[in-house]
Amino acid sequence: MDLSGLHSIAERERHSRKPNTIRCCAAMGCEAARSRQVRVALRSAVAAAGRQDSIEVQGVGCLGLCSAGPLVRVEPQGVMYQRVTPEDVQSIVAAVDGGTSTAERADLSHPFFTLQYPIVLENSGKVDPERIESYVAEGGYETLYHVLREMSPAEVVDEVSRSGLRGRGGAGFPTGLKWATVAKTQADWKCVVCNADEGDPGAFMDRAVMESDPHRILEGMAIAAYAVGANQGYIYVRGEYPLAYDRLQVAIQQADRLGLLGSRIFDSPFDFRIDLRIGAGAFVCGEETALMASIQGQRGTPRPRPPYPAEAGLWGKPTLINNVETFANIPPILKRGGGWYAAIGTDKSKGTKVFSLTGHVRHTGLIEVPMGTTLRTIVEDMGDGVPNGRALKAVQTGGSSGGCVPASEIDVSVDYESLAALGSIMGSGGMVVLDDSTDMVDLARFFMEFCADESCGKCVPCRVGTAQIYRLLERFVAREATESDLVLLEELCDLLRSASLCGLGQNAPNPVLSTLRYFREEYEAGMASIGASRGLIREPAVVGRPA
């Protein structure tokens, strides 16, 4: 394969397109809402109308507004329909030439769509994730070609460093610095790993990218491998993501067939292959040392660092680990330049961030916004606010390791530093909106139960501490706690943060500490004596958990 071959594929794909395209979401969210039946019905309706020559029905990745699926978009008309049923399809086909469909039309002028800044998601809802030709027609793999033929590995690392990209898996470590560390470590074998073990409650950003644009991830990994001197890659996919796994597998086979993975890619000396590994459902395997142990066929438990994976990772060899969103950022950065990317976002948090917006908010789904966008813009404008006449109480960010930002801080800039200052974290991008019916102590108990269940048990502080904190929180929820329980709760949180072996245990107290910081009166209401004396005893619990 050379550049002319790639262009020939793109030209054939473009010329084969029909004047009208009906794109039907084929990501997991819409599939669960019967989008497959809608897609089949659309093809039948097109055939029944004798429009096969002028209308193409295409399965595409996530179209964003997951709460209103199944979603169908008609191009070039630029019309989107929501909550589509098989009964709607005939009117959708009939309306392609300008008529009016009886299907419910989505408002594309809503801020949910207009405030998005798609970089990672630029192909989502546009390309067919099961056809490499569709990706190539959008310029796919051209960046890899130019990197291999025109740039040295050091220049690639410099460009990524210049972009200011930080790892999107949660820690926010500078990606260029990590790449430079792996690149300069001398070894006879190196490896690149894509962490696709997304496990935070309410998070589905990486799943959507894998289901919608799998070739983008492969291209980003290949560029990374060239930059650091690796010839082998692994994608560690969460076992609960079968559709993402299937699409990645198909994508790898297609790229192998065209010579875009494997030996002498684009007739260069660079060889790179990618294998898939399926996680067995352990949340702790999102931690990179536990993930590597799992890939090696061992029990997925973390180990102390240093040495870091960049120096001694898989089988003791230098290993570069980034998550799905990080790799998906790489092709556009190398295509448009690190300076272009660095101009987006804030001073220390560059670029955009993908969030899964869920909970007590009218519009839930997948959004991508520049770093520095305010929480108010995301919740009130893009999410269209809290429904059912309720008031906003807090926004939980960062999943089980994150914290709750109270409504009083809704004008906070969403970036690494600002969220940390409020006691929360960016995390991988889960964002759960909570209305004023939410019991914050019970919410903290929910996350602590999750962490206790997912603790691998290797270190005592995490194994015992999460269970003890969970039991204490049960006492607060049952209104049986005492003042000494509150003191013990805070001491245990401090111990867990300082003595746990890995991030799971170190960050497990975050939901408790942030709710204690902003909603301490709800804990006091759970202390029988104080709650009664201050009139804080609650009515029998009406617990609002995030959807």
Side-chain angles (χ1 to χ4, degrees):
M1 177 65 67
D2 56 16
L3 190 59
S4 63
L6 209 58
H7 286 165
S8 296
I9 293 172
E11 282 301 308
R12 283 198 300 272
E13 178 69 11
R14 295 187 194 109
H15 287 155
S16 69
R17 289 176 179 168
K18 298 169 185 174
N20 304 284
T21 303
I22 300 178
R23 294 172 178 161
C24 185
C25 180
M28 184 57 78
C30 279
E31 290 275 311
R34 301 178 64 208
S35 73
R36 188 181 298 272
Q37 289 92 325
V38 170
R39 207 156 58 247
V40 170
L42 279 166
R43 290 186 174 125
S44 297
V46 169
R51 300 293 304 274
Q52 300 98 318
D53 293 337
S54 61
I55 301 176
E56 178 180 3
V57 177
Q58 181 185 28
V60 296
C62 183
L63 285 163
L65 190 58
C66 303
S67 58
L71 298 168
V72 169
R73 182 164 181 140
V74 183
E75 296 293 353
Q77 292 80 357
V79 176
M80 182 185 285
Y81 299 102
Q82 59 188 17
R83 301 184 182 88
V84 177
T85 68
E87 290 73 33
D88 294 324
V89 300
Q90 285 192 346
S91 73
I92 292 175
V93 173
V96 164
D97 293 327
T100 302
S101 172
T102 57
E104 184 180 353
R105 195 161 171 167
D107 180 11
L108 295 178
S109 65
H110 191 277
F112 183 89
F113 298 103
T114 60
L115 296 183
Q116 301 240 11
Y117 197 120
I119 294 176
V120 169
L121 301 179
E122 64 183 342
N123 289 331
S124 184
K126 184 187 296 183
V127 302
D128 182 341
E130 297 182 349
R131 296 185 66 251
I132 190 171
E133 295 84 358
S134 183
Y135 180 70
V136 171
E138 298 299 326
Y141 290 106
E142 280 196 38
T143 303
L144 175 62
Y145 173 86
H146 291 296
V147 164
L148 296 183
R149 302 301 291 263
E150 300 166 8
M151 299 179 73
S152 69
E155 288 173 330
V156 176
V157 173
D158 287 346
E159 202 64 36
V160 173
S161 298
R162 200 159 70 91
S163 75
L165 175 67
R166 296 167 65 171
R168 298 300 194 236
F173 190 80
T175 303
L177 180 57
K178 181 183 281 189
W179 286 29
T181 305
V182 179
K184 74 181 181 184
T185 303
Q186 298 298 314
D188 57 358
W189 187 86
K190 296 181 184 179
C191 185
V192 169
V193 175
C194 177
N195 184 348
D197 194 45
E198 181 178 58
D200 276 334
F204 52 87
M205 305 78 55
D206 288 352
R207 172 176 62 76
V209 175
M210 289 186 283
E211 292 173 353
S212 303
D213 198 10
H215 285 286
R216 171 70 78 86
I217 303 163
L218 305 187
E219 187 175 6
M221 290 180 67
I223 293 170
Y226 172 73
V228 304
N231 298 115
Q232 174 66 51
Y234 292 100
I235 304 178
Y236 189 84
V237 186
R238 187 181 180 196
E240 293 88 340
Y241 286 176
L243 184 60
Y245 178 87
D246 289 346
R247 288 187 175 159
L248 285 167
Q249 190 172 44
V250 169
I252 291 171
Q253 291 169 351
Q254 292 173 340
D256 277 335
R257 191 185 71 236
L258 293 183
L260 301 171
L261 291 177
S263 301
R264 298 188 58 79
I265 299 172
F266 286 122
D267 294 326
S268 73
F270 176 59
D271 304 334
F272 184 58
R273 60 170 293 157
I274 297 176
D275 292 317
L276 294 175
R277 291 292 183 270
I278 304 178
F283 177 69
V284 74
C285 284
E287 197 277 340
E288 56 188 18
T289 61
L291 181 152
M292 290 189 300
S294 181
I295 289 177
Q296 292 178 180
Q298 301 161 353
R299 183 182 175 192
T301 55
R303 62 163 171 78
R305 296 174 297 176
Y308 291 94
E311 299 168 319
L314 277 173
W315 294 285
K317 303 294 185 179
T319 301
L320 173 68
I321 304 178
N322 284 131
N323 84 329
V324 170
E325 187 179 343
T326 308
F327 282 123
N329 267 300
I330 297 303
I333 287 175
L334 271 297
K335 179 180 180 180
R336 301 169 197 172
W340 161 79
Y341 193 82
I344 304 166
T346 69
D347 184 41
K348 294 183 178 178
S349 298
K350 306 294 187 184
T352 60
K353 180 75 190 77
V354 180
F355 293 101
S356 54
L357 182 62
T358 61
H360 300 139
V361 65
R362 289 187 179 86
H363 286 170
T364 64
L366 206 62
I367 61 170
E368 182 174 5
V369 294
M371 291 280 195
T373 301
T374 67
L375 202 54
R376 182 186 296 278
T377 298
I378 293 174
V379 174
E380 295 188 354
D381 296 334
M382 302 182 77
D384 207 21
V386 176
N388 304 320
R390 309 294 310 202
L392 176 69
K393 187 169 188 177
V395 180
Q396 207 276 344
T397 67
S400 59
S401 301
C404 293
V405 178
S408 59
E409 300 288 350
I410 194 171
D411 289 310
V412 65
S413 161
V414 178
D415 58 69
Y416 290 102
E417 290 71 28
S418 300
L419 290 177
L422 294 176
S424 190
I425 61 172
M426 180 82 72
S428 58
M431 185 174 284
V432 184
V433 180
L434 306 167
D435 71 18
D436 58 0
S437 70
T438 306
D439 184 323
M440 303 306 283
V441 181
D442 194 55
L443 181 79
R445 181 181 66 163
F446 166 77
F447 281 113
M448 190 53 64
E449 182 180 21
F450 175 83
C451 290
D453 285 344
E454 295 294 339
S455 173
C456 73
K458 184 172 182 176
C459 74
V460 174
C462 181
R463 182 179 71 239
V464 179
T466 53
Q468 291 294 332
I469 292 175
Y470 172 71
R471 292 192 188 103
L472 280 172
L473 291 170
E474 280 196 312
R475 288 176 57 79
F476 283 94
V477 172
R479 307 174 194 101
E480 297 172 349
T482 64
E483 291 183 66
S484 61
D485 286 334
L486 185 57
V487 173
L488 182 58
L489 181 66
E490 293 179 300
E491 290 178 348
L492 278 174
C493 286
D494 182 60
L495 183 148
L496 214 62
R497 294 185 82 173
S498 58
S500 294
L501 176 60
C502 78
L504 191 155
Q506 292 164 6
N507 294 314
N510 286 350
V512 179
L513 292 170
S514 70
T515 49
L516 269 170
R517 178 176 175 180
Y518 298 111
F519 305 97
R520 195 177 188 87
E521 70 279 3
E522 296 194 25
Y523 285 85
E524 293 175 345
M527 295 166 9
S529 58
I530 293 181
S533 65
R534 297 183 183 177
L536 293 173
I537 292 294
R538 296 165 294 190
E539 294 296 323
V542 177
V543 177
R545 284 187 175 177

